[in-house]
Amino acid sequence: MKSSGGSKALSGGQLPTAPADAASRGAREHYLQPGYYDRAYRERRHDVGFYAQLAARHGGPVLEYGVGSGRVALSIAAAGIDVVGVDHAKPMLDELQRQLAANPALQNRVRARLGDMRRVNLKRRFPLVIAPFNALLHLYTRQDVERFLARVRGHLEPRGVFVFDYAMPRVRDLDPDPERWYKGPKVRHPELGETVRYAERFHYAPVAQVLSTWIRFEGSDSEHSGEQLLTHRQFFPQELEALLHYNGFESRWSADFSGSRPNSLTDVLVVECRLRKGWSP
């Protein structure tokens, strides 16, 4: 077969990503009920202590992406360090303001901005930028990652540090039966106002690398029942290290807020980043 000469278009097109409507819904619904969110994660404290100690070491003010209802920010503020938070979920920020109103000593230490972490420009720099508890997993495409990291670079002092954590993706957990509901214990749901049955269903899209989790609550009637979608991009460590490198960061990785090296038993990857010397976009 003869070549037609010149350049030849690649076949197949771009890699598919998570549908925009599903990604938008999955990045939003889990954060519409701050009472349930705070109750569900109230025992998750090891990361709170880690970030509070980190802030004490680097000084403030601290910029926190995904500040939410203040699970991390309020502990940093209680240590006497100012925090500026960015979050896209207004109900979570409303809950943060409620908690600040109930704690006047912290009101002047925490400021929050409603907005998209890929786009918000605060026009100031920070010695420490953090993105706790899977915040980066709501970046579904390479373009999302690059826009976000550009914002981090713009907000970071030249010798500043950017630190985030996220759940280690495990291949064995990414092949669930998408039709099966996995039942959990009954939970008291603050927004629904009663104890409800709880179940989860999962679907993993391997090309887009997005894990969708449907969370279902079943109460005494339809008024006390509900369902929400949570979508998380799954970043494999070598993949994310490359994305950081080619967007101007050098990174150091550790496991489970312990400072130890990651291994096959690691649950949470903690990544500390600094701007690479001599890098330019």
mmCIF file with all atom_site columns, all heavy atoms in Angstrom, residues 36-58:
data_model
loop_
_atom_site.group_PDB
_atom_site.id
_atom_site.type_symbol
_atom_site.label_atom_id
_atom_site.label_alt_id
_atom_site.label_comp_id
_atom_site.label_asym_id
_atom_site.label_entity_id
_atom_site.label_seq_id
_atom_site.pdbx_PDB_ins_code
_atom_site.Cartn_x
_atom_site.Cartn_y
_atom_site.Cartn_z
_atom_site.occupancy
_atom_site.B_iso_or_equiv
_atom_site.pdbx_formal_charge
_atom_site.auth_seq_id
_atom_site.auth_comp_id
_atom_site.auth_asym_id
_atom_site.auth_atom_id
_atom_site.pdbx_PDB_model_num
ATOM 1   N N   . TYR A 1 36 ? -23.945 15.609 57.669 1.00 0.00 ? 36 TYR A N   1
ATOM 2   C CA  . TYR A 1 36 ? -23.588 14.210 57.468 1.00 0.00 ? 36 TYR A CA  1
ATOM 3   C C   . TYR A 1 36 ? -22.088 14.057 57.209 1.00 0.00 ? 36 TYR A C   1
ATOM 4   O O   . TYR A 1 36 ? -21.441 13.154 57.740 1.00 0.00 ? 36 TYR A O   1
ATOM 5   C CB  . TYR A 1 36 ? -24.370 13.605 56.295 1.00 0.00 ? 36 TYR A CB  1
ATOM 6   C CG  . TYR A 1 36 ? -23.836 12.245 55.919 1.00 0.00 ? 36 TYR A CG  1
ATOM 7   C CD1 . TYR A 1 36 ? -24.057 11.145 56.741 1.00 0.00 ? 36 TYR A CD1 1
ATOM 8   C CD2 . TYR A 1 36 ? -23.040 12.077 54.785 1.00 0.00 ? 36 TYR A CD2 1
ATOM 9   C CE1 . TYR A 1 36 ? -23.525 9.904  56.433 1.00 0.00 ? 36 TYR A CE1 1
ATOM 10  C CE2 . TYR A 1 36 ? -22.503 10.838 54.469 1.00 0.00 ? 36 TYR A CE2 1
ATOM 11  C CZ  . TYR A 1 36 ? -22.752 9.760  55.292 1.00 0.00 ? 36 TYR A CZ  1
ATOM 12  O OH  . TYR A 1 36 ? -22.203 8.547  54.992 1.00 0.00 ? 36 TYR A OH  1
ATOM 13  N N   . TYR A 1 37 ? -21.516 14.951 56.393 1.00 0.00 ? 37 TYR A N   1
ATOM 14  C CA  . TYR A 1 37 ? -20.085 14.882 56.087 1.00 0.00 ? 37 TYR A CA  1
ATOM 15  C C   . TYR A 1 37 ? -19.255 14.940 57.370 1.00 0.00 ? 37 TYR A C   1
ATOM 16  O O   . TYR A 1 37 ? -18.359 14.116 57.594 1.00 0.00 ? 37 TYR A O   1
ATOM 17  C CB  . TYR A 1 37 ? -19.702 16.031 55.160 1.00 0.00 ? 37 TYR A CB  1
ATOM 18  C CG  . TYR A 1 37 ? -18.248 16.031 54.747 1.00 0.00 ? 37 TYR A CG  1
ATOM 19  C CD1 . TYR A 1 37 ? -17.853 15.441 53.553 1.00 0.00 ? 37 TYR A CD1 1
ATOM 20  C CD2 . TYR A 1 37 ? -17.267 16.613 55.546 1.00 0.00 ? 37 TYR A CD2 1
ATOM 21  C CE1 . TYR A 1 37 ? -16.522 15.425 53.161 1.00 0.00 ? 37 TYR A CE1 1
ATOM 22  C CE2 . TYR A 1 37 ? -15.938 16.601 55.170 1.00 0.00 ? 37 TYR A CE2 1
ATOM 23  C CZ  . TYR A 1 37 ? -15.570 16.013 53.985 1.00 0.00 ? 37 TYR A CZ  1
ATOM 24  O OH  . TYR A 1 37 ? -14.249 15.997 53.617 1.00 0.00 ? 37 TYR A OH  1
ATOM 25  N N   . ASP A 1 38 ? -19.552 15.902 58.233 1.00 0.00 ? 38 ASP A N   1
ATOM 26  C CA  . ASP A 1 38 ? -18.771 16.043 59.464 1.00 0.00 ? 38 ASP A CA  1
ATOM 27  C C   . ASP A 1 38 ? -18.947 14.836 60.373 1.00 0.00 ? 38 ASP A C   1
ATOM 28  O O   . ASP A 1 38 ? -17.992 14.410 61.038 1.00 0.00 ? 38 ASP A O   1
ATOM 29  C CB  . ASP A 1 38 ? -19.175 17.323 60.196 1.00 0.00 ? 38 ASP A CB  1
ATOM 30  C CG  . ASP A 1 38 ? -18.665 18.580 59.497 1.00 0.00 ? 38 ASP A CG  1
ATOM 31  O OD1 . ASP A 1 38 ? -17.796 18.456 58.609 1.00 0.00 ? 38 ASP A OD1 1
ATOM 32  O OD2 . ASP A 1 38 ? -19.147 19.681 59.834 1.00 0.00 ? 38 ASP A OD2 1
ATOM 33  N N   . ARG A 1 39 ? -20.143 14.295 60.408 1.00 0.00 ? 39 ARG A N   1
ATOM 34  C CA  . ARG A 1 39 ? -20.388 13.117 61.244 1.00 0.00 ? 39 ARG A CA  1
ATOM 35  C C   . ARG A 1 39 ? -19.640 11.905 60.679 1.00 0.00 ? 39 ARG A C   1
ATOM 36  O O   . ARG A 1 39 ? -19.056 11.124 61.420 1.00 0.00 ? 39 ARG A O   1
ATOM 37  C CB  . ARG A 1 39 ? -21.888 12.828 61.318 1.00 0.00 ? 39 ARG A CB  1
ATOM 38  C CG  . ARG A 1 39 ? -22.244 11.692 62.275 1.00 0.00 ? 39 ARG A CG  1
ATOM 39  C CD  . ARG A 1 39 ? -23.758 11.480 62.340 1.00 0.00 ? 39 ARG A CD  1
ATOM 40  N NE  . ARG A 1 39 ? -24.110 10.484 63.333 1.00 0.00 ? 39 ARG A NE  1
ATOM 41  C CZ  . ARG A 1 39 ? -24.308 10.734 64.609 1.00 0.00 ? 39 ARG A CZ  1
ATOM 42  N NH1 . ARG A 1 39 ? -24.189 11.977 65.051 1.00 0.00 ? 39 ARG A NH1 1
ATOM 43  N NH2 . ARG A 1 39 ? -24.626 9.772  65.452 1.00 0.00 ? 39 ARG A NH2 1
ATOM 44  N N   . ALA A 1 40 ? -19.647 11.759 59.356 1.00 0.00 ? 40 ALA A N   1
ATOM 45  C CA  . ALA A 1 40 ? -19.013 10.592 58.732 1.00 0.00 ? 40 ALA A CA  1
ATOM 46  C C   . ALA A 1 40 ? -17.505 10.580 58.944 1.00 0.00 ? 40 ALA A C   1
ATOM 47  O O   . ALA A 1 40 ? -16.902 9.505  59.062 1.00 0.00 ? 40 ALA A O   1
ATOM 48  C CB  . ALA A 1 40 ? -19.329 10.568 57.239 1.00 0.00 ? 40 ALA A CB  1
ATOM 49  N N   . TYR A 1 41 ? -16.875 11.766 59.000 1.00 0.00 ? 41 TYR A N   1
ATOM 50  C CA  . TYR A 1 41 ? -15.415 11.831 59.076 1.00 0.00 ? 41 TYR A CA  1
ATOM 51  C C   . TYR A 1 41 ? -14.904 12.398 60.397 1.00 0.00 ? 41 TYR A C   1
ATOM 52  O O   . TYR A 1 41 ? -13.746 12.806 60.492 1.00 0.00 ? 41 TYR A O   1
ATOM 53  C CB  . TYR A 1 41 ? -14.888 12.676 57.905 1.00 0.00 ? 41 TYR A CB  1
ATOM 54  C CG  . TYR A 1 41 ? -15.272 12.107 56.565 1.00 0.00 ? 41 TYR A CG  1
ATOM 55  C CD1 . TYR A 1 41 ? -16.150 12.803 55.725 1.00 0.00 ? 41 TYR A CD1 1
ATOM 56  C CD2 . TYR A 1 41 ? -14.799 10.878 56.144 1.00 0.00 ? 41 TYR A CD2 1
ATOM 57  C CE1 . TYR A 1 41 ? -16.526 12.273 54.499 1.00 0.00 ? 41 TYR A CE1 1
ATOM 58  C CE2 . TYR A 1 41 ? -15.167 10.337 54.919 1.00 0.00 ? 41 TYR A CE2 1
ATOM 59  C CZ  . TYR A 1 41 ? -16.033 11.044 54.103 1.00 0.00 ? 41 TYR A CZ  1
ATOM 60  O OH  . TYR A 1 41 ? -16.402 10.519 52.892 1.00 0.00 ? 41 TYR A OH  1
ATOM 61  N N   . ARG A 1 42 ? -15.745 12.395 61.408 1.00 0.00 ? 42 ARG A N   1
ATOM 62  C CA  . ARG A 1 42 ? -15.353 13.011 62.687 1.00 0.00 ? 42 ARG A CA  1
ATOM 63  C C   . ARG A 1 42 ? -14.215 12.266 63.373 1.00 0.00 ? 42 ARG A C   1
ATOM 64  O O   . ARG A 1 42 ? -13.479 12.856 64.168 1.00 0.00 ? 42 ARG A O   1
ATOM 65  C CB  . ARG A 1 42 ? -16.561 13.099 63.615 1.00 0.00 ? 42 ARG A CB  1
ATOM 66  C CG  . ARG A 1 42 ? -17.145 11.755 64.032 1.00 0.00 ? 42 ARG A CG  1
ATOM 67  C CD  . ARG A 1 42 ? -18.402 11.936 64.866 1.00 0.00 ? 42 ARG A CD  1
ATOM 68  N NE  . ARG A 1 42 ? -19.035 10.655 65.160 1.00 0.00 ? 42 ARG A NE  1
ATOM 69  C CZ  . ARG A 1 42 ? -20.167 10.535 65.835 1.00 0.00 ? 42 ARG A CZ  1
ATOM 70  N NH1 . ARG A 1 42 ? -20.783 11.628 66.281 1.00 0.00 ? 42 ARG A NH1 1
ATOM 71  N NH2 . ARG A 1 42 ? -20.693 9.343  66.070 1.00 0.00 ? 42 ARG A NH2 1
ATOM 72  N N   . GLU A 1 43 ? -14.046 10.964 63.073 1.00 0.00 ? 43 GLU A N   1
ATOM 73  C CA  . GLU A 1 43 ? -12.962 10.206 63.702 1.00 0.00 ? 43 GLU A CA  1
ATOM 74  C C   . GLU A 1 43 ? -11.675 10.240 62.883 1.00 0.00 ? 43 GLU A C   1
ATOM 75  O O   . GLU A 1 43 ? -10.657 9.689  63.305 1.00 0.00 ? 43 GLU A O   1
ATOM 76  C CB  . GLU A 1 43 ? -13.396 8.757  63.933 1.00 0.00 ? 43 GLU A CB  1
ATOM 77  C CG  . GLU A 1 43 ? -14.553 8.635  64.931 1.00 0.00 ? 43 GLU A CG  1
ATOM 78  C CD  . GLU A 1 43 ? -14.934 7.203  65.196 1.00 0.00 ? 43 GLU A CD  1
ATOM 79  O OE1 . GLU A 1 43 ? -14.256 6.288  64.641 1.00 0.00 ? 43 GLU A OE1 1
ATOM 80  O OE2 . GLU A 1 43 ? -15.911 6.970  65.934 1.00 0.00 ? 43 GLU A OE2 1
ATOM 81  N N   . ARG A 1 44 ? -11.698 10.894 61.758 1.00 0.00 ? 44 ARG A N   1
ATOM 82  C CA  . ARG A 1 44 ? -10.486 11.035 60.939 1.00 0.00 ? 44 ARG A CA  1
ATOM 83  C C   . ARG A 1 44 ? -9.700  12.238 61.469 1.00 0.00 ? 44 ARG A C   1
ATOM 84  O O   . ARG A 1 44 ? -9.959  13.382 61.096 1.00 0.00 ? 44 ARG A O   1
ATOM 85  C CB  . ARG A 1 44 ? -10.859 11.233 59.467 1.00 0.00 ? 44 ARG A CB  1
ATOM 86  C CG  . ARG A 1 44 ? -9.650  11.305 58.539 1.00 0.00 ? 44 ARG A CG  1
ATOM 87  C CD  . ARG A 1 44 ? -10.075 11.633 57.112 1.00 0.00 ? 44 ARG A CD  1
ATOM 88  N NE  . ARG A 1 44 ? -8.941  11.925 56.277 1.00 0.00 ? 44 ARG A NE  1
ATOM 89  C CZ  . ARG A 1 44 ? -8.254  11.029 55.571 1.00 0.00 ? 44 ARG A CZ  1
ATOM 90  N NH1 . ARG A 1 44 ? -8.616  9.762  55.602 1.00 0.00 ? 44 ARG A NH1 1
ATOM 91  N NH2 . ARG A 1 44 ? -7.223  11.394 54.838 1.00 0.00 ? 44 ARG A NH2 1
ATOM 92  N N   . ARG A 1 45 ? -8.731  11.975 62.341 1.00 0.00 ? 45 ARG A N   1
ATOM 93  C CA  . ARG A 1 45 ? -8.020  13.044 63.021 1.00 0.00 ? 45 ARG A CA  1
ATOM 94  C C   . ARG A 1 45 ? -6.519  13.030 62.752 1.00 0.00 ? 45 ARG A C   1
ATOM 95  O O   . ARG A 1 45 ? -5.839  14.022 63.016 1.00 0.00 ? 45 ARG A O   1
ATOM 96  C CB  . ARG A 1 45 ? -8.250  12.953 64.537 1.00 0.00 ? 45 ARG A CB  1
ATOM 97  C CG  . ARG A 1 45 ? -9.696  13.040 64.958 1.00 0.00 ? 45 ARG A CG  1
ATOM 98  C CD  . ARG A 1 45 ? -10.322 14.377 64.610 1.00 0.00 ? 45 ARG A CD  1
ATOM 99  N NE  . ARG A 1 45 ? -9.654  15.499 65.256 1.00 0.00 ? 45 ARG A NE  1
ATOM 100 C CZ  . ARG A 1 45 ? -9.902  16.769 64.993 1.00 0.00 ? 45 ARG A CZ  1
ATOM 101 N NH1 . ARG A 1 45 ? -10.796 17.085 64.072 1.00 0.00 ? 45 ARG A NH1 1
ATOM 102 N NH2 . ARG A 1 45 ? -9.261  17.725 65.622 1.00 0.00 ? 45 ARG A NH2 1
ATOM 103 N N   . HIS A 1 46 ? -5.982  11.910 62.268 1.00 0.00 ? 46 HIS A N   1
ATOM 104 C CA  . HIS A 1 46 ? -4.525  11.829 62.099 1.00 0.00 ? 46 HIS A CA  1
ATOM 105 C C   . HIS A 1 46 ? -4.030  12.865 61.094 1.00 0.00 ? 46 HIS A C   1
ATOM 106 O O   . HIS A 1 46 ? -2.964  13.460 61.286 1.00 0.00 ? 46 HIS A O   1
ATOM 107 C CB  . HIS A 1 46 ? -4.108  10.424 61.662 1.00 0.00 ? 46 HIS A CB  1
ATOM 108 C CG  . HIS A 1 46 ? -4.928  9.849  60.550 1.00 0.00 ? 46 HIS A CG  1
ATOM 109 N ND1 . HIS A 1 46 ? -6.229  9.463  60.704 1.00 0.00 ? 46 HIS A ND1 1
ATOM 110 C CD2 . HIS A 1 46 ? -4.626  9.592  59.256 1.00 0.00 ? 46 HIS A CD2 1
ATOM 111 C CE1 . HIS A 1 46 ? -6.698  9.001  59.566 1.00 0.00 ? 46 HIS A CE1 1
ATOM 112 N NE2 . HIS A 1 46 ? -5.751  9.072  58.661 1.00 0.00 ? 46 HIS A NE2 1
ATOM 113 N N   . ASP A 1 47 ? -4.817  13.122 60.036 1.00 0.00 ? 47 ASP A N   1
ATOM 114 C CA  . ASP A 1 47 ? -4.385  14.124 59.063 1.00 0.00 ? 47 ASP A CA  1
ATOM 115 C C   . ASP A 1 47 ? -4.508  15.541 59.620 1.00 0.00 ? 47 ASP A C   1
ATOM 116 O O   . ASP A 1 47 ? -3.725  16.427 59.275 1.00 0.00 ? 47 ASP A O   1
ATOM 117 C CB  . ASP A 1 47 ? -5.156  13.984 57.752 1.00 0.00 ? 47 ASP A CB  1
ATOM 118 C CG  . ASP A 1 47 ? -6.662  14.135 57.902 1.00 0.00 ? 47 ASP A CG  1
ATOM 119 O OD1 . ASP A 1 47 ? -7.190  13.927 59.011 1.00 0.00 ? 47 ASP A OD1 1
ATOM 120 O OD2 . ASP A 1 47 ? -7.326  14.461 56.897 1.00 0.00 ? 47 ASP A OD2 1
ATOM 121 N N   . VAL A 1 48 ? -5.489  15.755 60.503 1.00 0.00 ? 48 VAL A N   1
ATOM 122 C CA  . VAL A 1 48 ? -5.671  17.075 61.110 1.00 0.00 ? 48 VAL A CA  1
ATOM 123 C C   . VAL A 1 48 ? -4.434  17.449 61.919 1.00 0.00 ? 48 VAL A C   1
ATOM 124 O O   . VAL A 1 48 ? -3.886  18.560 61.782 1.00 0.00 ? 48 VAL A O   1
ATOM 125 C CB  . VAL A 1 48 ? -6.931  17.102 61.992 1.00 0.00 ? 48 VAL A CB  1
ATOM 126 C CG1 . VAL A 1 48 ? -7.039  18.429 62.745 1.00 0.00 ? 48 VAL A CG1 1
ATOM 127 C CG2 . VAL A 1 48 ? -8.183  16.866 61.145 1.00 0.00 ? 48 VAL A CG2 1
ATOM 128 N N   . GLY A 1 49 ? -3.967  16.531 62.747 1.00 0.00 ? 49 GLY A N   1
ATOM 129 C CA  . GLY A 1 49 ? -2.756  16.787 63.525 1.00 0.00 ? 49 GLY A CA  1
ATOM 130 C C   . GLY A 1 49 ? -1.541  16.993 62.653 1.00 0.00 ? 49 GLY A C   1
ATOM 131 O O   . GLY A 1 49 ? -0.693  17.858 62.932 1.00 0.00 ? 49 GLY A O   1
ATOM 132 N N   . PHE A 1 50 ? -1.459  16.228 61.575 1.00 0.00 ? 50 PHE A N   1
ATOM 133 C CA  . PHE A 1 50 ? -0.326  16.351 60.656 1.00 0.00 ? 50 PHE A CA  1
ATOM 134 C C   . PHE A 1 50 ? -0.268  17.745 60.049 1.00 0.00 ? 50 PHE A C   1
ATOM 135 O O   . PHE A 1 50 ? 0.782   18.396 60.039 1.00 0.00 ? 50 PHE A O   1
ATOM 136 C CB  . PHE A 1 50 ? -0.441  15.296 59.556 1.00 0.00 ? 50 PHE A CB  1
ATOM 137 C CG  . PHE A 1 50 ? 0.514   15.491 58.413 1.00 0.00 ? 50 PHE A CG  1
ATOM 138 C CD1 . PHE A 1 50 ? 1.816   15.022 58.494 1.00 0.00 ? 50 PHE A CD1 1
ATOM 139 C CD2 . PHE A 1 50 ? 0.110   16.136 57.244 1.00 0.00 ? 50 PHE A CD2 1
ATOM 140 C CE1 . PHE A 1 50 ? 2.711   15.193 57.440 1.00 0.00 ? 50 PHE A CE1 1
ATOM 141 C CE2 . PHE A 1 50 ? 0.994   16.318 56.186 1.00 0.00 ? 50 PHE A CE2 1
ATOM 142 C CZ  . PHE A 1 50 ? 2.290   15.852 56.289 1.00 0.00 ? 50 PHE A CZ  1
ATOM 143 N N   . TYR A 1 51 ? -1.396  18.237 59.543 1.00 0.00 ? 51 TYR A N   1
ATOM 144 C CA  . TYR A 1 51 ? -1.396  19.542 58.884 1.00 0.00 ? 51 TYR A CA  1
ATOM 145 C C   . TYR A 1 51 ? -1.222  20.679 59.893 1.00 0.00 ? 51 TYR A C   1
ATOM 146 O O   . TYR A 1 51 ? -0.609  21.715 59.568 1.00 0.00 ? 51 TYR A O   1
ATOM 147 C CB  . TYR A 1 51 ? -2.672  19.726 58.064 1.00 0.00 ? 51 TYR A CB  1
ATOM 148 C CG  . TYR A 1 51 ? -2.636  18.964 56.758 1.00 0.00 ? 51 TYR A CG  1
ATOM 149 C CD1 . TYR A 1 51 ? -3.426  17.841 56.562 1.00 0.00 ? 51 TYR A CD1 1
ATOM 150 C CD2 . TYR A 1 51 ? -1.793  19.355 55.725 1.00 0.00 ? 51 TYR A CD2 1
ATOM 151 C CE1 . TYR A 1 51 ? -3.388  17.128 55.362 1.00 0.00 ? 51 TYR A CE1 1
ATOM 152 C CE2 . TYR A 1 51 ? -1.743  18.653 54.523 1.00 0.00 ? 51 TYR A CE2 1
ATOM 153 C CZ  . TYR A 1 51 ? -2.544  17.540 54.348 1.00 0.00 ? 51 TYR A CZ  1
ATOM 154 O OH  . TYR A 1 51 ? -2.493  16.836 53.167 1.00 0.00 ? 51 TYR A OH  1
ATOM 155 N N   . ALA A 1 52 ? -1.731  20.516 61.110 1.00 0.00 ? 52 ALA A N   1
ATOM 156 C CA  . ALA A 1 52 ? -1.522  21.539 62.136 1.00 0.00 ? 52 ALA A CA  1
ATOM 157 C C   . ALA A 1 52 ? -0.036  21.646 62.486 1.00 0.00 ? 52 ALA A C   1
ATOM 158 O O   . ALA A 1 52 ? 0.503   22.755 62.630 1.00 0.00 ? 52 ALA A O   1
ATOM 159 C CB  . ALA A 1 52 ? -2.355  21.218 63.378 1.00 0.00 ? 52 ALA A CB  1
ATOM 160 N N   . GLN A 1 53 ? 0.642   20.516 62.608 1.00 0.00 ? 53 GLN A N   1
ATOM 161 C CA  . GLN A 1 53 ? 2.079   20.533 62.891 1.00 0.00 ? 53 GLN A CA  1
ATOM 162 C C   . GLN A 1 53 ? 2.860   21.107 61.714 1.00 0.00 ? 53 GLN A C   1
ATOM 163 O O   . GLN A 1 53 ? 3.834   21.846 61.896 1.00 0.00 ? 53 GLN A O   1
ATOM 164 C CB  . GLN A 1 53 ? 2.564   19.116 63.215 1.00 0.00 ? 53 GLN A CB  1
ATOM 165 C CG  . GLN A 1 53 ? 2.031   18.571 64.523 1.00 0.00 ? 53 GLN A CG  1
ATOM 166 C CD  . GLN A 1 53 ? 2.445   17.127 64.768 1.00 0.00 ? 53 GLN A CD  1
ATOM 167 O OE1 . GLN A 1 53 ? 3.331   16.601 64.092 1.00 0.00 ? 53 GLN A OE1 1
ATOM 168 N NE2 . GLN A 1 53 ? 1.795   16.473 65.715 1.00 0.00 ? 53 GLN A NE2 1
ATOM 169 N N   . LEU A 1 54 ? 2.425   20.785 60.516 1.00 0.00 ? 54 LEU A N   1
ATOM 170 C CA  . LEU A 1 54 ? 3.076   21.310 59.314 1.00 0.00 ? 54 LEU A CA  1
ATOM 171 C C   . LEU A 1 54 ? 2.964   22.836 59.277 1.00 0.00 ? 54 LEU A C   1
ATOM 172 O O   . LEU A 1 54 ? 3.940   23.538 58.975 1.00 0.00 ? 54 LEU A O   1
ATOM 173 C CB  . LEU A 1 54 ? 2.414   20.690 58.076 1.00 0.00 ? 54 LEU A CB  1
ATOM 174 C CG  . LEU A 1 54 ? 3.115   20.854 56.732 1.00 0.00 ? 54 LEU A CG  1
ATOM 175 C CD1 . LEU A 1 54 ? 4.393   20.034 56.690 1.00 0.00 ? 54 LEU A CD1 1
ATOM 176 C CD2 . LEU A 1 54 ? 2.180   20.409 55.603 1.00 0.00 ? 54 LEU A CD2 1
ATOM 177 N N   . ALA A 1 55 ? 1.788   23.348 59.611 1.00 0.00 ? 55 ALA A N   1
ATOM 178 C CA  . ALA A 1 55 ? 1.582   24.790 59.614 1.00 0.00 ? 55 ALA A CA  1
ATOM 179 C C   . ALA A 1 55 ? 2.437   25.459 60.683 1.00 0.00 ? 55 ALA A C   1
ATOM 180 O O   . ALA A 1 55 ? 2.999   26.545 60.459 1.00 0.00 ? 55 ALA A O   1
ATOM 181 C CB  . ALA A 1 55 ? 0.101   25.099 59.839 1.00 0.00 ? 55 ALA A CB  1
ATOM 182 N N   . ALA A 1 56 ? 2.542   24.834 61.846 1.00 0.00 ? 56 ALA A N   1
ATOM 183 C CA  . ALA A 1 56 ? 3.381   25.396 62.909 1.00 0.00 ? 56 ALA A CA  1
ATOM 184 C C   . ALA A 1 56 ? 4.841   25.452 62.473 1.00 0.00 ? 56 ALA A C   1
ATOM 185 O O   . ALA A 1 56 ? 5.577   26.386 62.835 1.00 0.00 ? 56 ALA A O   1
ATOM 186 C CB  . ALA A 1 56 ? 3.223   24.567 64.179 1.00 0.00 ? 56 ALA A CB  1
ATOM 187 N N   . ARG A 1 57 ? 5.262   24.482 61.675 1.00 0.00 ? 57 ARG A N   1
ATOM 188 C CA  . ARG A 1 57 ? 6.663   24.434 61.231 1.00 0.00 ? 57 ARG A CA  1
ATOM 189 C C   . ARG A 1 57 ? 6.954   25.465 60.147 1.00 0.00 ? 57 ARG A C   1
ATOM 190 O O   . ARG A 1 57 ? 8.024   26.074 60.139 1.00 0.00 ? 57 ARG A O   1
ATOM 191 C CB  . ARG A 1 57 ? 6.972   23.022 60.722 1.00 0.00 ? 57 ARG A CB  1
ATOM 192 C CG  . ARG A 1 57 ? 8.433   22.756 60.462 1.00 0.00 ? 57 ARG A CG  1
ATOM 193 C CD  . ARG A 1 57 ? 8.752   21.270 60.467 1.00 0.00 ? 57 ARG A CD  1
ATOM 194 N NE  . ARG A 1 57 ? 8.148   20.551 59.372 1.00 0.00 ? 57 ARG A NE  1
ATOM 195 C CZ  . ARG A 1 57 ? 7.191   19.637 59.510 1.00 0.00 ? 57 ARG A CZ  1
ATOM 196 N NH1 . ARG A 1 57 ? 6.698   19.362 60.706 1.00 0.00 ? 57 ARG A NH1 1
ATOM 197 N NH2 . ARG A 1 57 ? 6.695   19.010 58.455 1.00 0.00 ? 57 ARG A NH2 1
ATOM 198 N N   . HIS A 1 58 ? 6.029   25.668 59.235 1.00 0.00 ? 58 HIS A N   1
ATOM 199 C CA  . HIS A 1 58 ? 6.280   26.561 58.100 1.00 0.00 ? 58 HIS A CA  1
ATOM 200 C C   . HIS A 1 58 ? 5.754   27.974 58.328 1.00 0.00 ? 58 HIS A C   1
ATOM 201 O O   . HIS A 1 58 ? 6.158   28.899 57.620 1.00 0.00 ? 58 HIS A O   1
ATOM 202 C CB  . HIS A 1 58 ? 5.657   25.977 56.831 1.00 0.00 ? 58 HIS A CB  1
ATOM 203 C CG  . HIS A 1 58 ? 6.367   24.759 56.336 1.00 0.00 ? 58 HIS A CG  1
ATOM 204 N ND1 . HIS A 1 58 ? 7.522   24.820 55.589 1.00 0.00 ? 58 HIS A ND1 1
ATOM 205 C CD2 . HIS A 1 58 ? 6.088   23.434 56.482 1.00 0.00 ? 58 HIS A CD2 1
ATOM 206 C CE1 . HIS A 1 58 ? 7.924   23.590 55.288 1.00 0.00 ? 58 HIS A CE1 1
ATOM 207 N NE2 . HIS A 1 58 ? 7.073   22.738 55.820 1.00 0.00 ? 58 HIS A NE2 1
#
